[in-house]
Amino acid sequence: MTADSISAKPTPDLAFISQHLFTAILWVDDELAIIWLNAQAEQLLAVSSGRLLGQSILTLLAPEELKLKDSPMIDKEDGNEKIRSLTERFTQAKNYQQPFIDHDHITNTPLNGNLALSIDYSVTPVIYEQQSYFIIEMWGKDRQSRISEEQRQQQQYVVARHMLRSVAHEIKNPLAGIRGAAQLLQRQFIKFSESSFNTHAADTDHPSLISTLSSNPDNNRQKTAEKLRSYTDIIISETDRLTQLIAQFLGSNQLPNWQSLNVHEPLEHVLALIIHQYPQITLQRDYDLSLPELFADKDQLIQVFLNLINNACESMTEFAQTLPHHASLESSVLASNITSFDTNSDYQPILHIQTRVVFQHTISGQQHKQVLQVTITDNGSGIDSDIIGQIFFPMVTSRALGTGLGLSIVQDIISRHHGMIDVSSIQSQRVDSNHPRLNNSQTRFTLYLPFHQPIAEN
C-alpha cells in the first residue's frame, strides 16, 4: 500500500467522534469562553448547549472568580497563604503548554438550578490554526457511584426476590390444604346442625315444644353450628387473603405484550383515573412531545404509573393531614404573638411529571445512546433515609397505610423492560424549634427505559 493511497483515505470527523464518547468534552478559547461541547457534557452538567455556548468556563468551575475579576489572588481563610486562581492556572497552562487535572471538584452553577455535581476534570492547552484553545474533559464521579450503587441494589433485589419466591411457593401449597380442610369442616357443621334439628323434631309430637327447644340457648345446637361455621368462614377468608398476597409476591408469569406506543398515553390514562380522586392536588405536566415511540407493554406501564402516582398522591394527602396537628402543638407556645403566627395552612400538594430523552445512559452495564426518562415528583412527607435504600424490597413501606408491595411490583416490571428506577427524597424538617413552618420536602422517582427492546425485536 503506497503512501498516496493512505493519505487519500478520508479523515474522520473529530466532532462526530466526540459526540459518541463517554467523556464530557468542552472546547474553550483563550478568553475562557465555551465555543463547543459534546452531548455527554450536556448530559453530565444538565445544561443545554444553547445555554452554555458563549459562557465563561468559570461559570461552571469557579463562579466566585467572576465576581473577583480584579483579584487574581484569593486569600485562604488563615489569611497567610495564597492560592492561584483558576484563571491563573489556565494562563500558566497556555504559556507552558502544560495540562493540569483537578479531582473531586464540586460544580454549582445557576445554569442548571445550582445542581451540585462532583467531577474530575482535566485541562489541555492546544494550538489550533495558530490560535490558543483548551480541551476540557470531565468525568462525573456521581455517575460512577450511581452505576456501582445500582449494580449493588440490583444484586440485593434479585437475591431478596428469589428468597421470597421460594418461601412463597412453600407457603402456597399448605394454604390450599388449610382452605380445603376448613371447607370440609364447614360442611360437617351444616350436616350436624340439620341432623340434630331433625332428630329433635322427630322425637317431639307437639309443635309448641319444638318452638320451646329452639328458643332455649342450652338446646339450640343450630346456633352453635352457625357460630362454628363463622369460624370456618374466617379461616377461609384469611386463607384467600394470604393466597392473594402470595400471588403478588410471585408476580405475573405472563410475558410482556410488546408494542410501539407513546409514553404519554399510559401516563394520561393513569392521571385520568387518579387525579379526580385528589382534587386538592395541583398537577404540573412537563412533557417532551418530540419523544420517539417506546417499545413496551402498555398494561404493565399503566401498572407502574398507577402505583407511583397513587403513592405520591396518598403521601401528600397523609402529609397534609399532619399539618394542623403541628400547628396546634405550637399554638400554646406562640399564644402571646398570635398575629405573627404562620401555620402550614398554605401548604399546596403538587404532583410534577416530566418526560425527557437522556443521552449516553448506562443501565445494568449496558450503554444506551438514548433512553426515556420519566420523573414523578411530589412534595409529601418524604421517605426516611433509613429505608430509602430498601424501598423497592417487598414489605418495605414509608406510609402508614402502605402494604410494601407496590414498589416491588414496579421494580419487577421495570426490570422486565431492561430499565431502571431511581429514588431520591428530602424529608421535611422544622426550620427552628419555635416555628411550625416546614421547609420544602420532595420525593422523586425517576424511570429510565430504553426505547427499543432487544428481545421484542428478535
Side-chain angles (χ1 to χ4, degrees):
M1 182 178 294
T2 64
D4 293 338
S5 63
I6 296 176
S7 61
K9 289 187 175 181
T11 303
D13 188 346
L14 297 182
F16 175 80
I17 295 175
S18 300
Q19 291 289 1
H20 293 77
L21 296 178
F22 291 167
T23 305
I25 298 178
L26 297 92
W27 183 256
V28 179
D29 63 15
D30 59 349
E31 295 182 355
L32 303 186
I34 301 172
I35 58 177
W36 184 87
L37 66 155
N38 66 351
Q40 187 62 29
E42 295 182 80
Q43 176 64 27
L44 174 64
L45 299 171
V47 187
S48 66
S49 60
R51 300 192 65 187
L52 283 174
L53 292 177
Q55 296 283 345
S56 172
I57 191 63
L58 300 179
T59 305
L60 296 176
L61 301 180
E64 68 281 354
E65 288 191 28
L66 294 178
K67 302 176 182 179
L68 302 171
K69 291 182 179 180
D70 297 331
S71 302
M73 306 297 288
I74 302 175
D75 293 337
K76 279 190 174 179
E77 291 183 359
D78 55 16
N80 297 323
E81 299 183 30
K82 302 286 185 179
I83 61 171
R84 290 184 298 171
S85 68
L86 186 59
T87 304
E88 188 179 34
R89 294 183 72 185
F90 272 95
T91 302
Q92 294 289 340
K94 181 180 71 172
N95 293 339
Y96 296 99
Q97 290 295 296
Q98 181 64 45
F100 66 89
I101 298 178
D102 194 1
H103 297 281
D104 300 322
H105 183 83
I106 304 298
T107 66
N108 193 341
T109 173
L111 293 177
N112 59 5
N114 295 314
L115 177 65
L117 297 173
S118 177
I119 63 170
D120 296 338
Y121 72 91
S122 67
V123 177
T124 305
V126 295
I127 303 295
Y128 180 71
E129 295 183 352
Q130 300 182 352
Q131 295 291 329
S132 296
Y133 296 94
F134 299 96
I135 298 176
I136 300 179
E137 302 172 70
M138 294 184 179
W139 304 272
K141 306 200 76 174
D142 294 336
R143 177 176 179 269
Q144 298 298 327
S145 60
R146 178 188 63 79
I147 294 174
S148 300
E149 180 66 16
E150 175 203 343
Q151 293 175 343
R152 183 188 66 83
Q153 290 185 357
Q154 183 66 20
Q155 291 174 353
Q156 290 182 346
Y157 173 78
V158 171
V159 172
R161 190 75 178 174
H162 177 73
M163 292 177 60
L164 282 171
R165 285 183 173 179
S166 299
V167 173
H169 277 295
E170 294 299 323
I171 297 176
K172 186 176 181 180
N173 293 333
L175 284 177
I178 294 173
R179 191 182 193 282
Q183 287 177 320
L184 292 175
L185 190 60
Q186 188 179 74
R187 293 172 186 173
Q188 293 299 319
F189 287 147
I190 295 174
K191 291 180 180 180
F192 175 76
S193 176
E194 292 177 350
S195 62
S196 297
F197 184 80
N198 292 335
T199 301
H200 283 289
D203 293 341
T204 307
D205 295 331
H206 303 283
S208 59
L209 184 56
I210 296 177
S211 176
T212 303
L213 290 172
S214 299
S215 61
N216 190 340
D218 296 333
N219 298 325
N220 194 348
R221 298 186 181 184
Q222 186 173 1
K223 286 188 177 181
T224 303
E226 289 178 354
K227 183 183 294 186
L228 295 176
R229 181 180 177 181
S230 67
Y231 297 155
T232 58
D233 287 338
I234 294 174
I235 296 174
I236 292 173
S237 63
E238 288 300 302
T239 303
D240 290 339
R241 186 180 65 84
L242 289 176
T243 302
Q244 184 178 5
L245 187 64
I246 293 298
Q248 291 179 323
F249 274 137
L250 294 175
S252 175
N253 294 324
Q254 184 178 359
L255 294 177
N257 179 23
W258 301 111
Q259 56 183 300
S260 181
L261 55 89
N262 187 324
V263 71
H264 300 122
E265 294 178 5
L267 267 175
E268 288 300 312
H269 177 81
V270 171
L271 291 175
L273 296 174
I274 293 294
I275 205 63
H276 294 295
Q277 302 178 21
Y278 303 93
Q280 72 278 15
I281 294 178
T282 299
L283 176 62
Q284 296 179 348
R285 296 178 176 90
D286 184 8
Y287 291 167
D288 184 352
L289 300 180
S290 64
L291 290 177
E293 291 285 307
L294 176 69
F295 226 71
D297 185 311
K298 184 176 181 179
D299 291 336
Q300 291 189 3
L301 285 187
I302 289 175
Q303 183 67 51
V304 168
F305 296 143
L306 185 64
N307 287 351
L308 293 177
I309 294 175
N310 189 63
N311 284 352
C313 293
E314 290 184 355
S315 174
M316 290 185 287
T317 302
E318 292 177 5
F319 179 60
Q321 292 173 352
T322 65
L323 298 182
H325 176 64
H326 290 298
S328 63
L329 291 177
E330 299 290 343
S331 59
S332 59
V333 178
L334 300 177
S336 60
N337 191 19
I338 193 70
T339 57
S340 63
F341 177 68
D342 185 11
T343 69
N344 291 283
S345 59
D346 58 348
Y347 167 72
Q348 177 59 51
I350 298 175
L351 177 65
H352 182 83
I353 301 178
Q354 182 188 73
T355 59
R356 289 290 186 272
V357 174
V358 177
F359 298 95
Q360 302 297 340
H361 193 79
T362 302
I363 301 177
S364 300
Q366 178 70 37
Q367 181 76 14
H368 298 272
K369 291 184 178 180
Q370 58 180 13
V371 297
L372 169 67
Q373 175 184 283
V374 180
T375 304
I376 299 174
T377 308
D378 70 79
N379 61 342
S381 59
I383 302 174
D384 194 330
S385 59
D386 293 336
I387 66 171
I388 194 169
Q390 297 83 36
I391 197 65
F392 296 107
F393 290 174
M395 308 306 294
V396 177
T397 181
S398 60
R399 293 175 26 248
L401 302 178
T403 61
L405 292 177
L407 291 180
S408 176
I409 295 173
V410 167
Q411 170 77 359
D412 190 50
I413 293 175
I414 295 300
S415 297
R416 295 184 186 186
H417 284 71
H418 304 93
M420 64 169 288
I421 181 170
D422 187 27
V423 59
S424 61
S425 183
I426 301 174
Q427 281 195 297
S428 56
Q429 298 176 351
R430 296 290 181 90
V431 176
D432 56 63
S433 59
N434 296 322
H435 200 279
R437 178 177 291 278
L438 304 176
N439 66 353
N440 292 332
S441 58
Q442 177 179 279
T443 300
R444 174 177 298 170
F445 285 90
T446 306
L447 308 177
Y448 299 94
L449 293 171
F451 286 103
H452 304 286
Q453 298 292 335
I455 296 178
E457 292 177 349
N458 293 334

